[in-house]
Amino acid sequence: MSVLRKLRNGYVLWHAKRISIPSFTSSRVVRKKVVFAGKVQKVGFRMELDCIARRLKLTGWVRNLKDGSVEAELQGEESQIDFLIQCMCSLKRASVQNKTITDLPNKLDEDSFAIAE
């Protein structure tokens, strides 16, 4: 791993751990597929999304797509998923130009979050 990538990854984790998680009122558990388009690859986008999703105790996965976008399936309380999407769209080092959100059926057997390849 290059020195620059190590520095970026360290910064991404530092930034993701500093985000203040608000108190949420309980909301229904949902699953959403979100595709983020724009400058979202090679900026630590997946790593940040993964870190925040784990802090929120969401389940699902995130991966890069060949067209340069990032796709995620997120499951958890709807208010927490909405908060995560808002965080990702407000990143300064990325530029989310468009996001597509699709409701999906919940997966009852899922218990963690991962970066998929």
Side-chain angles (χ1 to χ4, degrees):
M1 185 181 303
S2 75
V3 172
L4 290 177
R5 183 176 289 171
K6 284 182 184 178
L7 287 171
R8 182 203 65 203
N9 290 352
Y11 172 78
V12 167
L13 291 175
W14 172 83
H15 185 267
K17 290 176 182 174
R18 286 198 47 192
I19 290 176
S20 178
I21 305 290
S23 296
F24 294 97
T25 56
S26 187
S27 60
R28 66 190 179 108
V29 173
V30 298
R31 185 175 191 87
K32 295 183 180 190
K33 178 171 91 170
V34 186
V35 178
F36 298 93
K39 183 177 171 36
V40 292
Q41 290 190 13
K42 299 186 185 216
V43 294
F45 195 88
R46 288 178 305 152
M47 183 183 296
E48 180 130 0
L49 193 148
D50 175 68
C51 185
I52 297 169
R54 288 173 188 264
R55 289 184 62 204
L56 292 168
K57 296 181 177 42
L58 300 178
T59 63
W61 51 265
V62 61
R63 68 178 174 191
N64 283 341
L65 297 178
K66 290 181 181 178
D67 67 0
S69 59
V70 172
E71 176 184 44
E73 283 194 16
L74 309 165
Q75 184 168 298
E77 290 193 20
E78 190 166 29
S79 57
Q80 293 177 329
I81 292 172
D82 293 344
F83 174 78
L84 174 59
I85 293 169
Q86 179 185 354
C87 284
M88 300 313 296
C89 289
S90 67
L91 283 178
K92 300 281 191 257
R93 69 180 176 284
S95 177
V96 176
Q97 300 297 317
N98 189 33
K99 66 182 178 305
T100 305
I101 303 172
T102 308
D103 293 327
L104 298 173
N106 291 353
K107 290 188 177 178
L108 302 176
D109 60 342
E110 191 173 63
D111 63 356
S112 63
F113 198 88
I115 296 177
E117 297 304 321

